[in-house]
Amino acid sequence: MVLLVKKLNTIYVLILCAALSLIAGLAGILSTITVNGYHTSLFDSLHYISIFMIGALVAKNKTVLSTLYQRFTKMQKISFLIMAVLLYSYSDVLSKDFFHIIPFRFYVSEYGLALGSILLIITALASRKISGLLNLPLLIFLGKISYSLYLTHMLVILSLLHLLHDRISMPLLLTLSGLVSILTAIICWYFVELPSMKLGKYLTKSRKNSVPSLEVRQET
């Protein structure tokens, strides 16, 4: 997927993303798969793949996007940030029944959310003030454990909810869930993610070192 985004033109990638979401939307209408109201079918995975591809596209063009942002006036930057927050916070409204006239409204709202996220990311990358804020040690550490936190927080919350429901107050339960989720993420970071990254670097380094030796053998 990443290689596809890297090699294809930006316009082609966006067309492919739109096509994947369209297939997911049509499949949702025509398919008889029961998903209990949630967008969790195999066809919906095509739509989610398109969102990841858009993220990869932003990473590919981050320098260009940052340069464009830095050319904005102060008022344009403020408007840019307001639009980012509004899209990120309220795009989900489009998926409600009130907007039933909008075709594939769930997928439209997802793209609105993705666009809001992209604008926030561009702001964070290109704005010196926001970049400086995000470079605070505490926020950097939270960024490192964020993927582990994303993977484990729901498991922790549901487990504690099952074990402690009606035994402690809800505010205390939520506070405890947050603390245990962060602790679990830290453990996963140090004992799973970090060793995996070191192993990955070791394997890729070994592979790079083996390539010249193979070339020498071929020449001889």
Side-chain angles (χ1 to χ4, degrees):
M1 182 180 68
V2 175
L3 292 176
L4 189 65
V5 173
K6 187 176 181 180
K7 291 182 178 181
L8 288 180
N9 182 276
T10 299
I11 299 298
Y12 292 148
V13 174
L14 293 176
I15 292 173
L16 178 58
C17 291
L20 291 174
S21 296
L22 181 61
I23 293 172
L26 291 173
I29 295 174
L30 303 175
S31 177
T32 58
I33 299 175
T34 302
V35 291
N36 297 321
Y38 298 98
H39 293 273
T40 55
S41 70
L42 293 175
F43 289 109
D44 283 308
S45 297
L46 296 176
H47 166 67
Y48 298 127
I49 287 173
S50 73
I51 300 297
F52 279 103
M53 291 178 68
I54 290 174
L57 197 60
V58 172
K60 175 184 175 182
N61 297 283
K62 64 179 181 180
T63 302
V64 176
L65 295 172
S66 296
T67 302
L68 289 174
Y69 175 88
Q70 290 169 352
R71 293 176 181 174
F72 289 167
T73 63
K74 184 177 180 180
M75 187 56 64
Q76 288 174 329
K77 290 178 180 179
I78 293 174
S79 302
F80 190 86
L81 180 59
I82 292 173
M83 185 178 4
V85 173
L86 289 175
L87 284 170
Y88 185 82
S89 302
Y90 297 107
S91 290
D92 184 59
V93 174
L94 296 175
S95 66
K96 306 304 179 184
D97 292 337
F98 179 78
F99 293 94
H100 63 276
I101 60 172
I102 300 177
F104 310 117
R105 60 185 186 275
F106 168 77
Y107 303 101
V108 173
S109 69
E110 288 276 293
Y111 275 108
L113 178 62
L115 179 58
S117 302
I118 290 169
L119 298 184
L120 288 173
I121 291 171
I122 293 172
T123 303
L125 290 173
S127 172
R128 293 181 180 178
K129 292 182 179 180
I130 297 178
S131 295
L133 179 65
L134 293 176
N135 280 323
L136 292 174
L138 177 60
L139 294 181
I140 290 176
F141 179 73
L142 288 176
K144 288 181 178 179
I145 67 170
S146 61
Y147 186 62
S148 292
L149 185 61
Y150 162 72
L151 292 177
T152 60
H153 78 281
M154 188 56 67
L155 178 62
V156 172
I157 292 173
L158 293 177
S159 298
L160 291 178
L161 185 63
H162 176 73
L163 293 171
L164 302 176
H165 182 62
D166 290 334
R167 296 185 180 181
I168 61 176
S169 65
M170 186 56 68
L172 181 57
L173 179 57
L174 292 175
T175 303
L176 183 62
S177 298
L179 293 174
V180 175
S181 296
I182 292 174
L183 178 61
T184 304
I186 292 172
I187 293 172
C188 289
W189 160 256
Y190 279 111
F191 294 102
V192 179
E193 280 197 74
L194 204 55
S196 298
M197 287 189 289
K198 289 180 179 179
L199 176 61
K201 290 179 179 179
Y202 172 77
L203 293 176
T204 53
K205 183 178 179 181
S206 300
R207 184 178 178 183
K208 288 179 181 178
N209 291 336
S210 65
V211 172
S213 61
L214 288 175
E215 292 178 350
V216 170
R217 290 178 184 177
Q218 290 176 354
E219 292 176 357
T220 56

